[in-house]
Structure formats: structure tokens, C-alpha cells
Amino acid sequence: MSTTSVTRTKPSGRKSYHHGDLQVALTDAAIELVRKTGPDHLSLRAVAEQVGVSPSAVYHYFPDKDSLISGVGKKLFVDLADMQREALGKIPGNSAKAAKLRYRELGRTYFRWADKEPNLFRLMFGGFCKVDLQGHHTNDEAFLMLTRCLDDLLATGVIAPSMRKYGELISWSAVQGASTLIVEGHLPAEAFEVLLDGLEQAMKAGNK
């Protein structure tokens, strides 16, 4: 009786991706790694291992760690804007009350996201991603939503015309600062609503 020799090939463990899909998979894997272990431990090699590809495949899309972080940051800013847009869509109307509710909800959504995803928040605003308030956000949807909310507050007489030009800087700095302090355990979560009350009062300065 003859025997037939069969050679078995050991699986390589590498996955096949269509053009463009790998970049998405790498970005998603990086986000998951940051979510679990924080931004300090993110590396190209760790992302490659997570996805199941060689490090050289990662370099094709992200030549260094900074470019990977930039890609992840862009995705996170889009995700945050999507959440804020959905929240604002639930508050229709052109009244002063509606304008105030949208302004507060924009800030609340920002904080809720930071509180839910502290490690991703740290990646975006902890010195890993470069953020330029003086021009980088002219086409950023989240920043444009803030601008529209402030314009609505001005149009409905909620905020003083003299304060409008400071609106973006004051609002974002205050919301960002309070979110960071709460996420890092320096303030209780309920302080955020107090911050929103104070912001509203500050923006009214100059109104008679």
C-alpha cells in the first residue's frame, strides 16, 4: 500500500486588504490601542501587529508615528463633529431659548465625549496632535458649528455684540479647560454645568 505525502503550509497570519481599506483598518486599530492603553504607548509596530500586517505595510500609509497620530486625530475630530451635529439637530427653532439650548448642548456633547473616551481625548488635546485655533479650524465642522451657535446667540440678543468677536476663543478655551480638569480628576463632573452658566453670563457682558 502506497502513501501520499501531503505538505501543509503554515498560515502566515497576514490579512489581505483592498486598496484603501488597510489605511482605514490601521486607523481604527490605532484608535482601539489608544482607547485601551493611552496615547503614550501607540506605535507603528503595535498597530501593524494588531491588524496582522507587516510594519512595512504600515509605512506605506503612515511613514512615521506623527503621521499616524495626525490621521487618528483627523478621524476623531470628524467623529466628535458627527456627535455634535446629531445633538444639535434635536433642538430646532430660531428663538433665543433654542439658541441657548444648542450652545449649551454643543459644550455638553464635547464634555460627554471627553468623559467617555479619556484616552482619545488626551491624544487629541494632550500635546500629541497639533491644533491651531487661529486658522486650522476655518474648515473644521465642529468649529463651524460653534460659530453658527454663537451667531444665533447674537441674532437673538442673548450675547452682547461687543463680546461676539471673543466668542470662539472664550467658549472653546473654557469648555476644553473644564473638560480636561474633570477628566484628570481635578474637578467634579457637576462643575461642567456651572461652567456653562458662567459662560452664558460672561457672553452677556455689555448687554443692557
Side-chain angles (χ1 to χ4, degrees):
M1 182 177 179
S2 63
T3 59
T4 302
S5 176
V6 178
T7 301
R8 289 185 172 85
T9 302
K10 185 179 179 179
S12 66
R14 305 298 186 193
K15 297 180 181 180
S16 175
Y17 291 89
H18 295 292
H19 179 70
D21 291 348
L22 179 54
Q23 185 173 9
V24 173
L26 293 170
T27 302
D28 290 344
I31 290 173
E32 284 304 311
L33 285 171
V34 173
R35 180 179 280 127
K36 293 176 182 177
T37 63
D40 293 301
H41 302 288
L42 181 64
S43 70
L44 297 175
R45 186 170 295 278
V47 171
E49 184 177 344
Q50 180 82 1
V51 176
V53 298
S54 66
S56 60
V58 181
Y59 297 143
H60 178 71
Y61 295 98
F62 303 108
D64 52 37
K65 184 177 177 179
D66 286 343
S67 62
L68 174 62
I69 290 175
S70 178
V72 170
K74 289 178 182 177
K75 173 69 164 53
L76 294 177
F77 276 111
V78 170
D79 290 347
L80 174 59
D82 288 343
M83 289 178 59
Q84 291 180 308
R85 188 185 306 106
E86 182 179 356
L88 294 187
K90 298 177 181 178
I91 310 173
N94 299 316
S95 66
K97 179 180 179 180
K100 288 193 289 185
L101 287 174
R102 284 193 293 269
Y103 178 68
R104 292 181 74 98
E105 188 59 26
L106 195 69
R108 285 194 191 108
T109 306
Y110 190 102
F111 167 65
R112 282 197 297 265
W113 188 89
D115 195 45
K116 179 183 177 182
E117 300 284 6
N119 280 335
L120 298 183
F121 181 72
R122 292 182 182 110
L123 178 95
M124 294 168 71
F125 298 108
F128 297 91
C129 291
K130 294 181 180 179
V131 180
D132 176 17
L133 178 61
Q134 299 298 328
H136 176 76
H137 286 283
T138 53
N139 293 315
D140 181 83
E141 182 60 25
F143 196 75
L144 292 175
M145 279 187 279
L146 172 58
T147 294
R148 288 193 289 268
C149 282
L150 290 166
D151 287 343
D152 287 346
L153 290 175
L154 179 63
T156 54
V158 175
I159 65 175
S162 61
M163 289 296 293
R164 176 61 190 88
K165 64 180 179 179
Y166 307 111
E168 284 84 357
L169 179 59
I170 291 174
S171 300
W172 191 26
S173 298
V175 168
Q176 167 66 25
S179 297
T180 299
L181 289 170
I182 294 170
V183 166
E184 299 302 337
H186 302 301
L187 282 177
E190 54 267 26
F192 195 81
E193 287 298 317
V194 179
L195 177 277
L196 292 179
D197 291 340
L199 264 180
E200 186 175 322
Q201 292 302 315
M203 297 297 286
K204 289 179 181 177
N207 269 346
K208 295 180 179 180

